[in-house]
Amino acid sequence: MTQLYHKMRILFLLFCFATTIAYGQNINLKVVGNAKEGFNVAIYNGEQLLLQNTEEFKLKVANLDLSETTELNNWKGSEWTGNDSLIKLTRATYLSDFDLDVLIMVTYEIINSNIVKKSIDLFQSGMPLLYYILEENFKPAETPSQYVTFEYDDFPGGFAHEMFPSAGFVTPDNQLVGILMDAGYKNHYTRSTRRRFNGHGGGFVGMRKLPDTELLSVATLDERSHGNHYIQQRFGEMCNLDAGKEVKLKIVGKLDKVGSAAIKTNKTDVITLKGKSAGRSGFEVIVPFKDQKIYTVSFLSKGNSPIALKLFRIKNGKKTVELEHGIKYIDQFPIKENEYTLFKGSILVPYIENDSVSMFIGTQSEKEVNVQIKDLQIVEKIPQKEPYNRMKMGEISTKTSYVFVEPWTNHHDFVVSSQSRLAEGKGFKGSLIEKMLYANSNMLTWITSIDDFNPSNVPNMNYAPDMYNRDSFFSIVSSYNEELNVSVWNQWANTQNSKGAVATIITPYMGTIEAKDNEATIQFLIWAMLNKRRFGVTLPKEKIDKAVNYVLNEFDENRDGIAESHFTLSQIDINKYEPKTDKLAVNQGIFAIALKTIKELGYDISDAYIQKAVAGYLDFYDVKRKHLLFDRDFPDVITMTDLEPEFFSLWLFKEPMLTDEMVINHLEQMPILNKVTNSPHPEYGTTAPVCVRLDDSEKGYSYLTADYQPFREFGEENYKDHARDGYYYNGGSWLRPEYCAYVVGLKHGWAKAKPLMENRVWAEINLNPKWPYSKEFIPTKWTSTDSWWPSTRGLCWNVFILMANEVAGLRTPDMDPDFKR
């Protein structure tokens, strides 16, 4: 019997409690039951019973080939120790079907006056591996007046696959009871529902082995009518779409023509699309999709143009948003001219308010097209459900959830509390926006796949399942979690190619060849330096050697201190420069940071070489225009990202590169937009464009146009006719670079820095009252928040303002629960 087994047994039987904290508010714990029937825990608010569970969890266990399964229903402890703020239930549970003891401990701990943490520890030392599904039900003691989820104020039940996994209920006396869960890389789940399509097709399709579909569920209306109320968390369940049952559905709607090409259907149901496409031609049809089901769409096609497939929700006869969880961004599915090619993709339909769904199939070509489509089929899947979480021999497997209690106000406040209470439950300290961003980052960090439990950090649900390395850098270095920092850095290291470049993206279920001369390899070295500073770890020298050689040779082959690259070394990555350019300020500044980093890592970099690079960065300051030049070919363009190298220097090396005059003048040139009377400082705006053109107009600025912008084909296509004024890189406001630029201003004595920092974080929570959470960007020109892009919701890397606030002196590392001195 292993040492760990003995330790667990001692904890079970001899656990001794130290002095516990007494809480002034009403939340408290009580043990229910007896030695014969078993013990479980009830949660009270004063004398009011809130949660009255009949069991602590249910467990389904299977062996490696799934040939043997057994279930533990209604688990309760046989022993307990504790008091009204900390309780441990224990039981050694014998699984006769496997001739196996499983030691189980359930711990309830009051974190603060609003939050209870619940953890379930499973341990077995008798089999190399078990698969399992663990289900927790949180049962209201009284019939709730309503159920809420992160995205819906009155959720009718079923599974809730949303951007943030939280649900709650409101008691008859107006108390909110919210249910949260720990990060996926800790609780071993993923919220990915799709993968990239094959390398030639682009876009996304749903996975055939779909994990954690019902990670979070709420009692349905029918269940509630029979007195069955609950919020459920289910970990480790995978839907196998290639097993189980399926129902072929008939498409009864008519094919509505889209575009100029002619549509014909013959007696064998072959659909022909022929004629001048003029950009978008094909047909739309209402498909028989219903809420909270899984479907597969398939068809055969041949012809002279790639196929596009789109799925949109239809509300009250109007097309709204694209469906997220499966088929998406299929713009160029390649087909052959004289041979049919099969398209097959699945989609998880979440709760969509019973909207209809419209499907477009056609082409987005500008040429004469001749395409045939046949055997169009939609199948509803009733998949086989299989366990995939792992209980390894000799290791403790833990699931952690949180319950929070507070007065019910409205849905907006529930969304805010879901984020802030999770951060508090995990021991994080900080301001409201810091808590929200920290929680959001945790909820976007999960396991890579059902067969790979390495952490994966995605930008937001729109980009999932891909881990964009530059995004994950900003997200994860914001935490002092050694496991997470070193693990994901090592995953970056594994992407390194023969030249030494680190990949831009890691794509589960599909490959990628995107390793290029952007800032990813420089960030890889910065991260190595931080991991050594923070944790004292030894990292693979050969990987760092290759990255150093790549950075030096790729960006400054002739060693004159002037950086050249095919890409910007910042987030504004929508252009490729052929040949390489040396005309970007941010590239020069980030290269100077790279040299400082390489020197600290122990490589022979002279101070004179570093100073050449720094001087090159300063040389981008235009004395007449009083700002750094984003691109010397477009001197009227100003960006927030050009101050990013200065932030890195202040953050990483505690020293400036730019002068006070340069920084202050640059920031004074940036227009501050979206003035709001109830913002902290209504005399200022709340958002600034990340990129904009300065001009001599009355406003002093204008958005980029097709004929004046540095982004070539992208800008010509997207910035014509004022189509994207104020959006994305044409005036969008991005929290991370904007806030970091203000911190640079603060460190250089700019008087407006602090109020603008406060206004900008206020805007992130409040400018769109329907979206009180992190966003990819906020438009600086808009007439209604309904025009904001849904795909931008919940961006992860904004948590980097934790590092910005450390530089600003507004927080300290020990406010992070994972910080170790």
Side-chain angles (χ1 to χ4, degrees):
M1 196 178 289
T2 65
Q3 267 191 324
L4 186 55
Y5 183 99
H6 285 300
K7 289 180 181 177
M8 285 288 295
R9 192 68 180 163
I10 291 169
L11 281 172
F12 284 162
L13 301 178
L14 302 176
F15 189 86
C16 181
F17 293 96
T19 304
T20 57
I21 300 171
Y23 293 95
Q25 259 198 346
N26 292 328
I27 194 166
N28 60 88
L29 309 172
K30 292 183 181 180
V31 176
V32 179
N34 54 58
K36 181 179 179 181
E37 296 177 354
F39 300 102
N40 63 290
V41 174
I43 298 178
Y44 283 77
N45 185 24
E47 296 301 317
Q48 179 192 12
L49 179 61
L50 298 175
L51 284 173
Q52 189 175 27
N53 294 340
T54 54
E55 78 284 329
E56 290 301 331
F57 63 87
K58 299 178 181 180
L59 189 69
K60 182 177 182 178
V61 178
N63 60 356
L64 287 178
D65 65 354
L66 307 183
S67 61
E68 294 289 343
T69 62
T70 192
E71 296 187 20
L72 264 180
N73 291 312
N74 306 318
W75 186 94
K76 296 181 179 182
S78 60
E79 304 170 44
W80 72 273
T81 53
N83 52 38
D84 64 355
S85 61
L86 179 63
I87 293 172
K88 288 185 180 284
L89 308 173
T90 61
R91 180 188 289 272
T93 303
Y94 179 65
L95 304 181
S96 60
D97 290 343
F98 295 103
D99 193 21
L100 180 71
D101 273 330
V102 178
L103 302 181
I104 299 172
M105 176 188 290
V106 175
T107 304
Y108 283 83
E109 179 183 5
I110 294 180
I111 300 298
N112 61 30
S113 58
N114 297 92
I115 302 167
V116 175
K117 176 181 178 182
K118 178 185 177 182
S119 59
I120 301 171
D121 294 330
L122 309 174
F123 176 84
Q124 62 88 12
S125 59
M127 289 179 66
L129 186 69
L130 284 174
Y131 290 125
Y132 71 94
I133 299 169
L134 188 146
E135 177 186 301
E136 290 184 82
N137 290 290
F138 299 85
K139 299 178 181 179
E142 298 180 88
T143 301
S145 60
Q146 72 185 95
Y147 286 89
V148 294
T149 61
F150 197 80
E151 295 186 25
Y152 292 101
D153 188 21
D154 190 8
F155 190 70
F159 69 81
H161 205 290
E162 301 177 355
M163 58 181 292
F164 191 103
S166 70
F169 62 85
V170 181
T171 67
D173 64 343
N174 226 38
Q175 290 293 307
L176 167 67
V177 181
I179 310 298
L180 306 169
M181 64 184 67
D182 208 346
Y185 77 96
K186 288 182 173 292
N187 270 8
H188 292 168
Y189 62 82
T190 172
R191 293 163 65 222
S192 292
T193 58
R194 61 195 185 190
R195 64 166 177 85
R196 285 191 174 234
F197 209 48
N198 66 54
H200 306 291
F204 293 109
V205 294
M207 301 180 304
R208 302 304 296 174
K209 292 189 175 181
L210 183 58
D212 301 303
T213 304
E214 298 182 36
L215 179 68
L216 179 66
S217 299
V218 172
T220 64
L221 295 177
D222 182 61
E223 288 173 317
R224 296 178 211 175
S225 70
H226 292 87
N228 188 8
H229 289 267
Y230 63 85
I231 293 172
Q232 183 184 98
Q233 294 178 353
R234 188 183 300 170
F235 301 103
E237 182 179 80
M238 182 265 290
C239 292
N240 186 347
L241 272 60
D242 292 321
K245 300 177 182 178
E246 61 181 35
V247 179
K248 293 181 180 179
L249 303 178
K250 189 173 182 180
I251 301 174
V252 296
K254 68 182 182 70
L255 306 185
D256 291 326
K257 178 185 170 184
V258 176
S260 56
I263 296 285
K264 292 182 179 179
T265 304
N266 65 17
K267 292 181 180 179
T268 58
D269 290 332
V270 175
I271 303 166
T272 301
L273 172 66
K274 192 171 184 178
K276 181 68 176 177
S277 173
R280 190 168 187 261
S281 286
F283 63 88
E284 285 183 335
V285 62
I286 299 296
V287 290
F289 285 2
K290 301 295 183 184
D291 296 60
Q292 298 164 319
K293 293 181 181 292
I294 302 170
Y295 300 93
T296 296
V297 177
S298 63
F299 57 84
L300 293 166
S301 59
K302 66 179 180 179
N304 67 347
S305 174
I307 296 294
L309 188 150
K310 306 286 184 184
L311 294 166
F312 289 94
R313 290 170 60 174
I314 305 293
K315 183 179 289 293
N316 299 323
K318 293 184 178 180
K319 185 183 298 183
T320 58
V321 296
E322 196 169 353
L323 281 182
E324 289 287 336
H325 304 296
I327 296 169
K328 194 176 182 186
Y329 301 129
I330 301 291
D331 298 309
Q332 299 285 326
F333 175 65
I335 59 175
K336 299 175 182 178
E337 193 154 2
N338 298 308
E339 180 182 337
Y340 278 107
T341 300
L342 174 67
F343 175 92
K344 184 177 182 180
S346 59
I347 182 164
L348 171 73
V349 180
Y351 174 61
I352 55 171
E353 303 172 274
N354 297 311
D355 288 353
S356 300
V357 176
S358 167
M359 179 172 67
F360 167 80
I361 299 178
T363 176
Q364 298 184 141
S365 172
E366 294 283 351
K367 65 180 184 180
E368 194 82 14
V369 299
N370 187 351
V371 171
Q372 289 185 324
I373 296 163
K374 72 173 185 176
D375 296 342
L376 175 60
Q377 188 175 95
I378 294 177
V379 172
E380 179 185 342
K381 301 296 297 187
I382 299 93
Q384 180 172 295
K385 297 183 178 182
E386 302 171 1
Y388 83 89
N389 270 194
R390 303 170 183 178
M391 200 186 307
K392 294 181 180 180
M393 186 164 60
E395 296 183 11
I396 300 173
S397 181
T398 301
K399 305 298 183 197
T400 304
S401 54
Y402 302 89
V403 179
F404 72 92
V405 182
E406 61 186 41
W408 167 254
T409 52
N410 53 49
H411 186 256
H412 172 280
D413 290 354
F414 168 73
V415 172
V416 172
S417 291
S418 292
Q419 298 166 85
S420 64
R421 297 303 187 191
L422 178 62
E424 292 170 16
K426 290 177 66 65
F428 178 88
K429 297 180 176 63
S431 65
L432 179 60
I433 187 65
E434 289 173 339
K435 291 175 182 177
M436 294 170 67
L437 295 175
Y438 176 82
N440 179 66
S441 179
N442 271 269
M443 291 299 96
L444 290 167
T445 308
W446 50 63
I447 59 172
T448 300
S449 74
I450 58 172
D451 296 311
D452 183 355
F453 283 15
N454 282 312
S456 178
N457 173 262
V458 303
N460 69 356
M461 293 294 279
N462 180 62
Y463 288 98
D466 299 338
M467 180 161 72
Y468 286 79
N469 285 347
R470 295 173 299 160
D471 297 68
S472 65
F473 166 80
F474 285 111
S475 301
I476 295 173
V477 299
S478 304
S479 162
Y480 288 90
N481 184 314
E482 179 178 350
E483 172 199 355
L484 201 54
N485 275 272
V486 175
S487 174
V488 178
W489 186 90
N490 281 324
Q491 290 182 67
W492 280 40
N494 291 336
T495 72
Q496 191 175 55
N497 65 17
S498 59
K499 293 175 64 178
V502 168
T504 302
I505 185 173
I506 297 175
T507 58
Y509 304 96
M510 190 56 64
T512 175
I513 57 172
E514 190 175 326
K516 56 192 182 184
D517 53 326
N518 58 20
E519 71 273 30
T521 307
I522 294 174
Q523 290 177 344
F524 176 71
L525 293 173
I526 293 171
W527 203 348
M529 179 180 70
L530 287 171
N531 283 340
K532 287 187 172 186
R533 281 185 188 175
R534 290 172 168 180
F535 314 122
V537 295
T538 300
L539 301 173
K541 186 176 185 300
E542 69 278 5
K543 296 285 188 180
I544 299 174
D545 286 346
K546 287 179 68 175
V548 166
N549 289 333
Y550 175 81
V551 168
L552 295 176
N553 294 327
E554 187 67 31
F555 298 117
D556 188 16
E557 187 177 7
N558 56 16
R559 299 297 193 271
D560 62 359
I562 302 302
E564 294 182 293
S565 179
H566 293 104
F567 301 92
T568 176
L569 304 184
S570 77
Q571 69 175 74
I572 306 180
D573 56 357
I574 51 178
N575 190 30
K576 183 176 182 180
Y577 299 87
E578 291 287 1
K580 288 182 179 181
T581 185
D582 61 1
K583 296 178 180 180
L584 304 181
V586 71
N587 284 21
Q588 187 60 38
I590 291 296
F591 181 66
I593 297 300
L595 294 181
K596 292 183 178 186
T597 300
I598 292 168
K599 182 179 179 69
E600 180 171 323
L601 286 170
Y603 295 85
D604 185 16
I605 300 292
S606 70
D607 290 338
Y609 185 24
I610 294 173
Q611 287 309 310
K612 281 184 181 180
V614 172
Y617 178 44
L618 271 63
D619 193 47
F620 276 89
Y621 180 76
D622 187 304
V623 176
K624 180 180 177 181
R625 287 181 169 82
K626 296 187 176 181
H627 68 84
L628 292 162
L629 301 181
F630 170 71
D631 184 330
R632 283 199 170 104
D633 288 342
F634 296 87
D636 297 333
V637 173
I638 185 173
T639 79
M640 285 293 194
T641 57
D642 291 322
L643 290 177
E644 190 167 280
E646 179 70 356
F647 177 85
F648 272 68
S649 189
L650 295 168
W651 171 45
L652 298 171
F653 304 107
K654 307 292 191 293
E655 61 184 14
M657 294 189 291
L658 302 175
T659 66
D660 292 351
E661 180 183 19
M662 291 175 177
V663 169
I664 292 172
N665 285 344
H666 184 96
L667 287 167
E668 286 286 350
Q669 299 292 309
M670 294 298 304
I672 310 298
L673 310 175
N674 288 334
K675 282 190 175 183
V676 181
T677 55
N678 62 332
S679 64
H681 304 278
E683 68 275 20
Y684 297 118
T686 58
T687 60
V690 73
C691 179
V692 76
R693 180 184 182 181
L694 301 179
D695 61 22
D696 295 326
S697 66
E698 183 178 347
K699 293 190 301 183
Y701 73 94
S702 58
Y703 296 109
L704 307 182
T705 57
D707 59 353
Y708 192 90
Q709 49 78 28
F711 305 128
R712 304 188 188 184
E713 291 84 2
F714 180 91
E716 291 168 8
E717 176 64 28
N718 290 282
Y719 297 160
K720 62 186 178 184
D721 302 324
H722 303 283
R724 282 195 182 179
D725 285 1
Y727 280 76
Y728 203 59
Y729 290 131
N730 192 8
S733 170
W734 301 65
L735 174 60
R736 183 190 58 78
E738 187 174 332
Y739 194 85
C740 289
Y742 294 152
V743 171
V744 168
L746 182 73
K747 300 296 285 187
H748 281 276
W750 189 43
K752 296 178 183 177
K754 190 73 180 298
L756 287 175
M757 290 162 63
E758 293 171 355
N759 266 15
R760 186 57 185 81
V761 297
W762 177 93
E764 198 69 16
I765 304 174
N766 299 298
L767 195 59
N768 183 343
K770 296 179 182 178
W771 291 7
Y773 37 72
S774 175
K775 288 163 279 290
E776 186 170 11
F777 70 87
I778 290 176
T780 55
K781 181 184 178 182
W782 46 282
T783 55
S784 166
T785 56
D786 291 338
S787 66
W788 291 25
W789 295 357
S791 63
T792 68
R793 302 181 306 163
L795 196 75
C796 192
W797 75 2
N798 286 333
V799 72
F800 190 71
I801 74 165
L802 299 182
M803 295 297 100
N805 281 340
E806 284 192 19
V807 175
L810 299 177
R811 67 178 288 115
T812 54
D814 59 3
M815 297 168 76
D816 186 304
D818 293 303
F819 177 74
K820 298 174 184 176
R821 295 187 183 277

